[in-house]
Structures are given as C-alpha cells and as structure tokens.
Amino acid sequence: MNERSTAGDAWPRFTPVADHALLVSFGDAIADDTSAAVLGLDRALADSPPPGMAECVPALVNLLIDFDPVVTDHEQVRAHVERLLRTSSRGQAPGQLREVEVCYDEDFAPDLAAVARAVGLSIDDVVNNHRQAQYVVRMYGFAPGYAYLSGVPRAIQVPRKPAAVRGIAAGSVLIAGPQCLVSTLTMPTGWSIIGRSPTRILTPNERVPFLFAVGDTVRFVRIDRALYEARKATEREQAERERDLTEREQTERHA
Amino acid sequence: MREARLTVRSCGPLVSYQDGGRFGMMRFGVPASGPMDRLAHAAAHAALGRPQGATAIEISMGGLELACESGEVTCCIAGGDFHVLHSGVVAAPWGVRTLRAGDVLSVHPGRWGSWAYLAFAGELHCNHWAGHTATHSTSGLGGGMLASGAEVVVRDATVYEEKQGDLPVPDFARARSTIRVVLGPQSAQFGPEASAALLQESFAVTSAYDRMGMRLAGPALVLKDALSIPSEPVVRGSIQVGGDGVASILLADHQTMGGYPKIATIISSDIDGVSQLQPLDRLRFQAVSVDDGVRLARSHAMATRRFLEEVALRRVTLHDRLMQENLISGVVASSDAPTH
C-alpha cells in the first residue's frame, strides 16, 4: 500500500467538489507517507496559496482546497498545485511539540480496566504505553477542536465499542485503534475513555483558539488528581477574568 | 448611547444569532456556520444599510415573538414566506419596520421557507467565539441560541423612517425544488442504478432537518461495496449516503470530516434555496458539469449583487420613489452631460 500511494501516475488524484472546491488525494488508505504528502502540500499552500483560495483542509489521505469560483476555477487551482508539487521540497518542517496533561484516575478513566483486559496488560502498563508514545496531529474533524492524533502503540490498540456512550465529559482522553483524541465538548463517543485532561485544546485565543496545528507532535504527561484540580481552578479564575475584561471592554466601547 | 431592549416572549428551537459565518477554520474542525440562507441574511442587512456579514437573528420554523421594552429601532425581516405580525397587524414577510417601546413583533412559518432573518439598524449584543458571532448549533459556540425570557439588546439603535416598507422577493431567493449538483467526489463507489435513481426519481425532505443537515426520504442509493473511505473533508452541500442507502444533505453546521461516500455535491448557488425547503417538500436533483457549475456560480454572484444594490436603494412611498428617480436621473444627467 505504501508503494501504491507514492509510485505511479495515479497519485495525486484531483477530484472536483461542486463548483467551489478541489480534492487532492495522495492515496486511498491511511499510511505515513500519504499523510506526509498531505502535510507537505498543506504547508506549501500556506506559503503560496493560489489566487482565490478560501481555505484548505488537510485530512488523512487527502486535502480539500475551497476557492471562490468567481475568482478562479478547478483547472487553475489544479495547475497551481501541480506547480507546487514539482517545485516544493519534499522535506517537511516538523510541527511544534505540544504537551497534554492527563490524569488517569479510575473515575476519569471508566474504560481503562476493560482496555487492560482486552490487550492482556496491567492498567499501569496501558497507562505507560499511552504516555510514553509520541503522537502526530493528523486532522481535525467531528466537532470544533476534535484533533485526531495517530500513534497509539499497537500493544494497547482496541477497536471502537459497538455503540456510542452519551454525555462523555469534555477533556476526556479517548483511544480507538491507532487513534487518540482529547474531547473538547460533552458528546457521545464509541471510543474507550482512559483519562481526563485539564489542558485546553480550545484555547481562549480570540482569533485562532486551538492548541494544535495539523502536523504538530503531541506528548502526554501524567499528572495526579491534585494537579488536575489545581489546573481546573486556575482555568475557572482565568475564564472569570476574561469575562470581566470582555464586559468592561464592551461597556467602554459603547459608553 | 441609544439602546433598544427587547425581550423574547416565545421562541422555538434553533433560533440563534448568526453573522456572515466563520470561514477558514474547517482545518480545526469548525464549519463556517452562519446563516442557512445567506442571500436572505444579506438582504436584511442591505435594506438597513448595514454591512454584509453583520449579526442578525436567525428564526427557525419554531418561530419567535419579541416585545420591545425600551428604546426604538428600525429592523428588517427577510427570508422565506413567514407570517409577520407587528403589534397584531399583518405585515409583509420581507420588509423594513420600526419597533418602539410597547410594540410586539411575531414571526412564524408560512407557506414556504424554513429560515427568516431579523436584522437591526444597530449592533446586536451577543457573545463572540473565534472572532465571530455565528452560532455553531451542536456546540453552542458563538453568539448562542435565543430562549423564552431572554433579553435582546441592540446598541447604537437607529431609526430610519425613509427605509421603511416592503421588500421584493426575487425568484432566485425562493425555495428550490430542482437542485443542481456536480456528481462525486465518490460517485464511482455507487452502482449505475444509484446514479440513475439520484437523478431520475424525486426525494422528500424529512423532519430530520436542522442546521447540521437534512435527511431525505427516497429511493435507496445502493453502494457497490460497503467499504467506508478514510475520513475526508466535506462541504456544505455534500450529499452523503449512509450504509442504509439513505441520502443526507450537509448544511451550515456540518461536520468538517466524513467517512461516508458522497454521491454528489450541490452547487453553491442552490444551497440557500434547498435550505428554504420545509419537511415533506419534494425535490429533484439535476446533474451539471463542473464548468457549468462555475458559470452558474458567477451568474448567481452577479444577480445577488444587483439584487442587494436594489434592496439598498428601495423606497416605497411615491414621494420617496420620485425622489429616488430624480436622484438617479440627476446622477446620470450629470455624468452624461457634455462639459460646457
């Protein structure tokens, strides 16, 4: 599959999406070099976007370029991408390293024991496997801030549950197969819940309120309950300060 | 500071604050959100001389009733064919009027249309998230939803007597029953019967319709193989087909990634019109080429611009119309006049 995704004339494949987008695919199955090609093109497009590009959205095996059809069209965008692929260097700049704190306490990790049983390890071994691995942000999807990380060690990979469980708290650390994510909203999930993080993936930054960029590397750092609670308390104080500040600004602006 | 304060007397589900949309954040899992009917939202602002993309209240089929408690402000309603009552008096579904303390405005669904917009000559006071007030309904991020008892505050509230009156509803702002699509990106995953069924048979809008999307009832669109694809970016207007062969149209608050194959994608010019269909309405799909899709997008953009310009200049009283004609002919005369 790796060979197929890089060799031959079949890739990249360009598929028009309605009148306003072009899907550029580098393979049809998830593989490291396919993902690297997606991220490489994503960076090249950030450096030199085609005229009329509205945004581009990197995913696992492909990337969507959304554009203004009044300004450009599929053929012009495709020609631009082909030029970029010929001229841009294959080597991609590594993303930033981000650390995410996790408390693996039992009440935060209702599925940890089941995961341990399923893979034949102790709970501690599952935790150590999880926190010692290095992850890469492959894409965002599902809901705002839901960053899909690859890199769950084979030793602790478990399939999705047959049915989703509702009302899972924001900040839950979830795994399914090779993927891991830290939820940002209370949502149903069929993934296994193995911890809770106080690290904000949805940040208070006004313009781009997200901790990760696609391509970033992520490491999990184990914290105890006391530190988790302290982080949450700080977050609450910050949120109150921001609220006060926003209200004051708005009042001043309209005074 | 002139301020108008209103209270929500009653409010159905999915009535929300929406600016023009939060574009450019799909890479973070965030769809643009914003109005379900972008044209009507733009028209409501244009009629008041407000900037495109300003915040308005999006009214769903659940309806909305507001009482003006204090202050006065001119507002505009546009979108669909809603029943509008201004202090008990029937008003046109699209039009500019002024609310004063004691007035009650009620907007409820009518013969066609699922979404109407209430814009104000002033600034609606609500939350921002990621630089916009557009509300993402599933997370509640953005300006937020309105609920019975809530207060609506309009700052810098202005009254424009001269802008009052009814607005035209152009044909291209109506609900559409023939929806133009470009096939794909996964049409190859479907058998020829599925493509034929998509284009030859009719579908019905079901009650499973919200800001995320619209589930359709119609012929099953059978996949050649049940294999799912790796999750990939989807857009507003994607027609995705579940394992059960049921088609859904993704709309303003769509998930940004999807693992279901998309048999076709609605062209941008037809999305406002499909959003204005009501449950049980029927629709048909018509395939167009990629090039025709681009051509239609360009002519739609031109028609939209012309319509919004017309709305911005609209006057209704004879006096105003005469004034406007004099003004225009005056301008023409002066620019055409030879220099003496």
Side-chain angles (χ1 to χ4, degrees), chain A residues 53-73:
Chain A
M53 181 171 101
E55 60 185 304
C56 77
V57 192
L60 300 171
V61 300
N62 48 23
L63 173 150
L64 182 94
I65 302 170
D66 195 59
F67 57 82
D68 180 355
V70 173
V71 176
T72 186
D73 62 24

Side-chain angles (χ1 to χ4, degrees), chain A residues 19 42 62 69 207 254, chain B residues 1 25 27 125 232 268 298:
Chain A
D19 54 305
D42 184 46
N62 48 23
R207 283 283 138 200
H254 291 278
Chain B
M1 179 177 72
M25 287 200 168
R27 60 190 299 113
H125 176 57
E232 69 174 28
S268 50
R298 290 174 182 174

Side-chain angles (χ1 to χ4, degrees), chain A residues 139-202:
Chain A
M139 66 169 197
Y140 276 89
F142 187 63
Y146 268 57
Y148 288 72
L149 315 179
S150 68
V152 174
R154 206 169 282 276
I156 61 165
Q157 289 185 9
V158 287
R160 249 168 255 232
K161 295 175 195 170
V165 181
R166 300 186 78 82
I168 302 306
S172 291
V173 178
L174 313 169
I175 57 170
Q179 292 186 303
C180 179
L181 76 74
V182 184
S183 68
T184 55
L185 305 166
T186 302
M187 283 268 181
T189 184
W191 293 24
S192 297
I193 307 150
I194 63 162
R196 181 88 59 88
S197 171
T199 306
R200 290 174 78 171
I201 314 299
L202 286 183

Side-chain angles (χ1 to χ4, degrees), chain A residues 15 18-19 28 42 55-59 62 64 69 72 74 139-145 185 206-207 210 212 250 254, chain B residues 1 24-30 123 125 130-131 136 139 155 231-233 235 255-257 265 267-268 290 293 297-298:
Chain A
T15 316
D19 54 305
D28 49 20
D42 184 46
E55 60 185 304
C56 77
V57 192
N62 48 23
L64 182 94
T72 186
H74 303 77
M139 66 169 197
Y140 276 89
F142 187 63
L185 305 166
E206 168 65 7
R207 283 283 138 200
F210 309 96
F212 306 133
Q250 284 178 345
H254 291 278
Chain B
M1 179 177 72
M25 287 200 168
M26 288 210 287
R27 60 190 299 113
F28 297 110
V30 183
E123 198 186 331
H125 176 57
H136 178 253
S139 66
R155 286 172 168 168
S231 284
E232 69 174 28
V235 297
Q255 291 185 18
T256 57
M257 296 286 171
T265 312
I267 61 174
S268 50
V290 173
R298 290 174 182 174

Side-chain angles (χ1 to χ4, degrees), chain B residues 115-126:
Chain B
W115 311 95
Y117 296 87
L118 173 59
F120 292 94
E123 198 186 331
L124 274 168
H125 176 57
C126 63

